Amino acid sequence: MSVMPRPSILSVEPYVGGESKIPGVNRIVKLSSNEGAFGPPPAAIAAIQAMASEAHRYPDGGAKAMREAIGARFGLDPARIVVGNGSDELIALLILAYGGEGTELVMSAHGFMMYDITGRWAGCRIIKVPERGLCADIDGMLAAVGPRTRLVFLANPNNPTGSILPQAEVDRLRAGLRDDILLVLDSAYAEYVTRPGYDAGAKLVDASGTTVMTRTFSKIFGMGGMRLGWCYAPAPVIDVLSRVRGPFNVNAAAMAAGIAALAQKGWVEQSVAHNTEWRGKVAAALEAAGIKVWPSEGNFLLVDFGTPAKAKAADDSLKARGLIVRAMGGYGLPACLRITIGTAEECTMVIEALTAFMHG
Ligand SMILES: *Cc1c(COP(=O)(O)O)cnc(C)c1O
């Protein structure tokens, strides 16, 4: 006899993050986790350092100052914001609270991996809906909804495909879902979007009462290591999250850094300008080298080599130059690599490496 978890736990494949080391290579360039090109904002670094001598104090469990700073920045009611230890924590809390054994969770085939991982942990049946041209298919998702469906997840833009749905399609998804189904709009890459008419989700949260928007400081704010995310939700969902979250789920340094990051003048604007410029330059250069690049509204590109063998060879040749990108087998896209938009120098290295690979 031995202790056994609930059976659904054993169907969970552990999350494999982006690699950060290459044996035998000293100087590596990590473009495997979409961490933002510039590190943390200087004001956030200073805030973390200033917090160190206060590390014996428990954080504010109500996260009042953090929620007020987010509310002020995004024009949202702080009472309808909950912060989390990364948005991953909020995603998990939502799934555990609204899903579980006997329920179904609907997501698109190449949607973000954590919905699948945490959904299985909770005991949900995961329904992955085929995409159209690597973009979520709303008709397919609506058709996949059944009486047991309680959760629908949509990352917009989506990681790892980079695809985005027009607002009318997101609205159509919500309109086609019953009111006992929670729609989670994961807008981890919202700040990077350049397509006009995009709304990160707040409008639908207000309009529907059954939709949640999740956001993160891990991407454009360069604070993945601090673990800080947040969600904007209808009051009843806020009430549920307040019951199930840990009393001190976000640490004091993360919140101090988050508040400082929001106050750093020009950070988002400069990061977006850099990302838009280099996302375009890298995509154009790789296309010119004969590689298919999927359109992206995030801070990364999904680069398609046509076959798994060629993607693997490309990955090997990038590694040989110290460049670490993300292999996509785990996402059902083995012919692709996902490459984060780094600094100008890093982007240039990627262009040179892959151009040489295609000519080699
Ligand atoms: C990176 C990412 C997250 C996780 O963000 P954390 O706040 O670091 O937990 C959530 N969703 C998507 C789509 C992401 O790419």
Side-chain angles (χ1 to χ4, degrees), residues 15 33-34 84-91 111-115 154-160 186-189 214-219 223-225 227-230 299-300 331 338:
Y15 183 81
S33 299
N34 301 345
N85 193 248
S87 52
D88 281 354
E89 184 196 21
L90 298 167
I91 290 166
F112 186 50
M113 193 94 78
M114 287 310 298
Y115 317 147
L154 180 72
N156 199 39
N158 183 51
N159 170 19
D186 180 342
S187 306
Y189 299 93
T214 62
R215 304 285 289 267
T216 184
F217 281 79
S218 299
K219 307 286 157 57
M223 286 175 35
R227 313 305 302 125
L228 179 62
W230 57 280
N299 67 335
F300 55 89
Y331 274 97
R338 191 195 67 197

Side-chain angles (χ1 to χ4, degrees), residues 62-347:
K64 189 165 182 289
M66 184 74 251
R67 290 185 298 105
E68 284 175 352
I70 294 168
R73 169 61 165 264
F74 297 98
L76 303 172
D77 177 2
R80 303 260 307 278
I81 292 166
V82 174
V83 295
N85 193 248
S87 52
D88 281 354
E89 184 196 21
L90 298 167
I91 290 166
L93 293 176
L94 290 167
I95 292 175
L96 288 163
Y98 290 93
E101 302 288 348
T103 71
E104 290 173 353
L105 180 159
V106 172
M107 62 184 284
S108 63
H110 307 294
F112 186 50
M113 193 94 78
M114 287 310 298
Y115 317 147
D116 179 307
I117 289 178
T118 315
R120 287 169 193 263
W121 166 24
C124 308
R125 187 168 158 241
I126 313 296
I127 301 183
K128 291 195 181 180
V129 179
E131 301 186 4
R132 282 176 193 232
L134 293 194
C135 195
D137 174 8
I138 295 307
D139 292 314
M141 289 178 81
L142 289 174
V145 168
R148 290 164 178 262
T149 304
R150 292 292 176 276
L151 289 155
V152 173
F153 273 83
L154 180 72
N156 199 39
N158 183 51
N159 170 19
T161 54
S163 62
I164 194 170
L165 279 183
Q167 189 58 40
E169 284 291 278
V170 182
D171 290 344
R172 201 161 68 79
L173 173 61
R174 178 67 264 180
L177 295 173
R178 298 189 312 266
D179 280 344
D180 64 340
I181 298 174
L182 188 71
L183 172 63
V184 181
L185 294 175
D186 180 342
S187 306
Y189 299 93
E191 288 85 355
Y192 291 111
V193 173
T194 50
R195 186 183 295 197
Y198 173 75
D199 181 77
K203 277 189 197 152
L204 206 48
V205 174
D206 288 336
S208 77
T210 45
T211 304
V212 175
M213 167 181 73
T214 62
R215 304 285 289 267
T216 184
F217 281 79
S218 299
K219 307 286 157 57
I220 200 152
F221 289 108
M223 286 175 35
M226 296 305 290
R227 313 305 302 125
L228 179 62
W230 57 280
C231 70
Y232 179 64
V237 177
I238 297 291
D239 175 64
V240 166
L241 289 174
S242 307
R243 292 166 195 266
V244 297
R245 73 175 174 85
F248 305 107
N249 60 326
V250 178
N251 73 74
M255 289 193 282
I259 291 168
L262 290 176
Q264 178 93 50
K265 288 261 179 313
W267 182 264
V268 169
E269 292 78 0
Q270 284 163 28
S271 301
V272 171
H274 170 86
N275 189 69
T276 306
E277 178 187 352
W278 283 95
R279 186 175 63 196
K281 279 185 178 166
V282 175
L286 298 188
E287 295 268 7
I291 307 168
K292 177 175 171 58
V293 180
W294 289 89
S296 172
E297 291 284 339
N299 67 335
F300 55 89
L301 290 168
L302 187 71
V303 176
D304 196 331
F305 293 88
T307 68
K310 192 150 188 195
K312 171 79 171 62
D315 197 12
D316 288 344
S317 82
L318 287 165
K319 278 208 176 79
R321 294 172 180 239
L323 294 160
I324 305 182
V325 303
R326 187 69 149 262
M328 287 282 109
Y331 274 97
L333 299 165
C336 297
L337 298 175
R338 191 195 67 197
I339 305 176
T340 302
I341 301 303
T343 62
E345 187 198 3
E346 291 165 348
C347 289

